[in-house]
PDB file of all heavy atoms in Angstrom:
ATOM      1  N   PHE A 208      -4.358   9.548 -21.576  1.00 98.00           N
ATOM      2  CA  PHE A 208      -5.218   9.507 -20.394  1.00 98.00           C
ATOM      3  C   PHE A 208      -6.422  10.443 -20.505  1.00 98.00           C
ATOM      4  O   PHE A 208      -7.169  10.602 -19.542  1.00 98.00           O
ATOM      5  CB  PHE A 208      -4.399   9.851 -19.141  1.00 98.00           C
ATOM      6  CG  PHE A 208      -3.251   8.906 -18.908  1.00 98.00           C
ATOM      7  CD1 PHE A 208      -1.960   9.264 -19.272  1.00 98.00           C
ATOM      8  CD2 PHE A 208      -3.465   7.647 -18.374  1.00 98.00           C
ATOM      9  CE1 PHE A 208      -0.898   8.390 -19.087  1.00 98.00           C
ATOM     10  CE2 PHE A 208      -2.418   6.764 -18.179  1.00 98.00           C
ATOM     11  CZ  PHE A 208      -1.131   7.132 -18.542  1.00 98.00           C
ATOM     12  N   ASN A 209      -6.590  11.040 -21.669  1.00 98.00           N
ATOM     13  CA  ASN A 209      -7.748  11.921 -21.878  1.00 98.00           C
ATOM     14  C   ASN A 209      -8.179  11.868 -23.347  1.00 98.00           C
ATOM     15  O   ASN A 209      -8.329  12.894 -24.009  1.00 98.00           O
ATOM     16  CB  ASN A 209      -7.425  13.359 -21.464  1.00 98.00           C
ATOM     17  CG  ASN A 209      -6.191  13.926 -22.145  1.00 98.00           C
ATOM     18  OD1 ASN A 209      -5.110  13.376 -22.063  1.00 98.00           O
ATOM     19  ND2 ASN A 209      -6.369  15.052 -22.841  1.00 98.00           N
ATOM     20  N   ALA A 210      -8.399  10.638 -23.839  1.00 95.00           N
ATOM     21  CA  ALA A 210      -8.709  10.434 -25.255  1.00 95.00           C
ATOM     22  C   ALA A 210      -9.951  11.192 -25.699  1.00 95.00           C
ATOM     23  O   ALA A 210     -10.040  11.627 -26.855  1.00 95.00           O
ATOM     24  CB  ALA A 210      -8.877   8.937 -25.524  1.00 95.00           C
ATOM     25  N   PHE A 211     -10.922  11.358 -24.806  1.00 95.00           N
ATOM     26  CA  PHE A 211     -12.172  12.020 -25.176  1.00 95.00           C
ATOM     27  C   PHE A 211     -12.299  13.409 -24.567  1.00 95.00           C
ATOM     28  O   PHE A 211     -13.375  14.007 -24.574  1.00 95.00           O
ATOM     29  CB  PHE A 211     -13.359  11.148 -24.741  1.00 95.00           C
ATOM     30  CG  PHE A 211     -13.315   9.758 -25.329  1.00 95.00           C
ATOM     31  CD1 PHE A 211     -12.950   8.675 -24.555  1.00 95.00           C
ATOM     32  CD2 PHE A 211     -13.603   9.549 -26.673  1.00 95.00           C
ATOM     33  CE1 PHE A 211     -12.881   7.398 -25.089  1.00 95.00           C
ATOM     34  CE2 PHE A 211     -13.540   8.283 -27.221  1.00 95.00           C
ATOM     35  CZ  PHE A 211     -13.174   7.203 -26.429  1.00 95.00           C
ATOM     36  N   GLU A 212     -11.187  13.917 -24.029  1.00 97.00           N
ATOM     37  CA  GLU A 212     -11.178  15.251 -23.420  1.00 97.00           C
ATOM     38  C   GLU A 212      -9.919  15.989 -23.868  1.00 97.00           C
ATOM     39  O   GLU A 212      -9.038  16.285 -23.075  1.00 97.00           O
ATOM     40  CB  GLU A 212     -11.204  15.135 -21.895  1.00 97.00           C
ATOM     41  CG  GLU A 212     -12.399  14.372 -21.343  1.00 97.00           C
ATOM     42  CD  GLU A 212     -12.211  13.993 -19.876  1.00 97.00           C
ATOM     43  OE1 GLU A 212     -11.328  13.153 -19.591  1.00 97.00           O
ATOM     44  OE2 GLU A 212     -12.938  14.549 -19.027  1.00 97.00           O
ATOM     45  N   PRO A 213      -9.799  16.266 -25.141  1.00 96.00           N
ATOM     46  CA  PRO A 213      -8.561  16.866 -25.671  1.00 96.00           C
ATOM     47  C   PRO A 213      -8.191  18.173 -24.974  1.00 96.00           C
ATOM     48  O   PRO A 213      -9.036  19.034 -24.757  1.00 96.00           O
ATOM     49  CB  PRO A 213      -8.881  17.083 -27.154  1.00 96.00           C
ATOM     50  CG  PRO A 213     -10.379  17.033 -27.255  1.00 96.00           C
ATOM     51  CD  PRO A 213     -10.834  16.105 -26.185  1.00 96.00           C
ATOM     52  N   GLY A 214      -6.927  18.256 -24.611  1.00 96.00           N
ATOM     53  CA  GLY A 214      -6.399  19.490 -24.033  1.00 96.00           C
ATOM     54  C   GLY A 214      -6.643  19.690 -22.557  1.00 96.00           C
ATOM     55  O   GLY A 214      -6.153  20.666 -21.972  1.00 96.00           O
ATOM     56  N   ILE A 215      -7.376  18.766 -21.924  1.00 98.00           N
ATOM     57  CA  ILE A 215      -7.774  19.017 -20.536  1.00 98.00           C
ATOM     58  C   ILE A 215      -6.583  19.039 -19.576  1.00 98.00           C
ATOM     59  O   ILE A 215      -6.614  19.698 -18.543  1.00 98.00           O
ATOM     60  CB  ILE A 215      -8.829  17.975 -20.075  1.00 98.00           C
ATOM     61  CG1 ILE A 215      -9.470  18.439 -18.769  1.00 98.00           C
ATOM     62  CG2 ILE A 215      -8.223  16.590 -19.943  1.00 98.00           C
ATOM     63  CD1 ILE A 215     -10.661  17.615 -18.347  1.00 98.00           C
ATOM     64  N   PHE A 216      -5.501  18.325 -19.945  1.00 98.00           N
ATOM     65  CA  PHE A 216      -4.342  18.294 -19.067  1.00 98.00           C
ATOM     66  C   PHE A 216      -3.192  19.171 -19.555  1.00 98.00           C
ATOM     67  O   PHE A 216      -2.074  19.085 -19.034  1.00 98.00           O
ATOM     68  CB  PHE A 216      -3.866  16.849 -18.872  1.00 98.00           C
ATOM     69  CG  PHE A 216      -4.891  15.981 -18.187  1.00 98.00           C
ATOM     70  CD1 PHE A 216      -5.192  14.716 -18.686  1.00 98.00           C
ATOM     71  CD2 PHE A 216      -5.577  16.437 -17.076  1.00 98.00           C
ATOM     72  CE1 PHE A 216      -6.152  13.932 -18.067  1.00 98.00           C
ATOM     73  CE2 PHE A 216      -6.538  15.656 -16.447  1.00 98.00           C
ATOM     74  CZ  PHE A 216      -6.829  14.404 -16.950  1.00 98.00           C
ATOM     75  N   ASP A 217      -3.473  20.029 -20.517  1.00 98.00           N
ATOM     76  CA  ASP A 217      -2.449  20.967 -20.991  1.00 98.00           C
ATOM     77  C   ASP A 217      -1.915  21.856 -19.863  1.00 98.00           C
ATOM     78  O   ASP A 217      -0.704  22.138 -19.818  1.00 98.00           O
ATOM     79  CB  ASP A 217      -2.995  21.828 -22.129  1.00 98.00           C
ATOM     80  CG  ASP A 217      -3.118  21.058 -23.437  1.00 98.00           C
ATOM     81  OD1 ASP A 217      -2.688  19.887 -23.469  1.00 98.00           O
ATOM     82  OD2 ASP A 217      -3.647  21.618 -24.416  1.00 98.00           O
ATOM     83  N   PRO A 218      -2.778  22.325 -18.929  1.00 98.00           N
ATOM     84  CA  PRO A 218      -2.250  23.139 -17.826  1.00 98.00           C
ATOM     85  C   PRO A 218      -1.225  22.394 -16.968  1.00 98.00           C
ATOM     86  O   PRO A 218      -0.277  22.990 -16.463  1.00 98.00           O
ATOM     87  CB  PRO A 218      -3.506  23.479 -17.000  1.00 98.00           C
ATOM     88  CG  PRO A 218      -4.630  23.403 -17.985  1.00 98.00           C
ATOM     89  CD  PRO A 218      -4.269  22.274 -18.905  1.00 98.00           C
ATOM     90  N   ILE A 219      -1.413  21.088 -16.811  1.00 98.00           N
ATOM     91  CA  ILE A 219      -0.473  20.288 -16.028  1.00 98.00           C
ATOM     92  C   ILE A 219       0.852  20.139 -16.779  1.00 98.00           C
ATOM     93  O   ILE A 219       1.933  20.302 -16.205  1.00 98.00           O
ATOM     94  CB  ILE A 219      -1.081  18.916 -15.703  1.00 98.00           C
ATOM     95  CG1 ILE A 219      -2.178  19.083 -14.638  1.00 98.00           C
ATOM     96  CG2 ILE A 219      -0.013  17.925 -15.237  1.00 98.00           C
ATOM     97  CD1 ILE A 219      -2.920  17.815 -14.303  1.00 98.00           C
ATOM     98  N   ILE A 220       0.752  19.854 -18.065  1.00 98.00           N
ATOM     99  CA  ILE A 220       1.962  19.737 -18.890  1.00 98.00           C
ATOM    100  C   ILE A 220       2.748  21.045 -18.851  1.00 98.00           C
ATOM    101  O   ILE A 220       3.973  21.054 -18.670  1.00 98.00           O
ATOM    102  CB  ILE A 220       1.594  19.375 -20.344  1.00 98.00           C
ATOM    103  CG1 ILE A 220       0.941  17.990 -20.404  1.00 98.00           C
ATOM    104  CG2 ILE A 220       2.828  19.423 -21.241  1.00 98.00           C
ATOM    105  CD1 ILE A 220       0.298  17.669 -21.742  1.00 98.00           C
TER     106      ILE A 220
END
Side-chain angles (χ1 to χ4, degrees):
F208 301 100
N209 55 303
F211 303 105
E212 302 166 293
I215 193 171
F216 297 133
D217 286 355
I219 287 176
I220 296 168

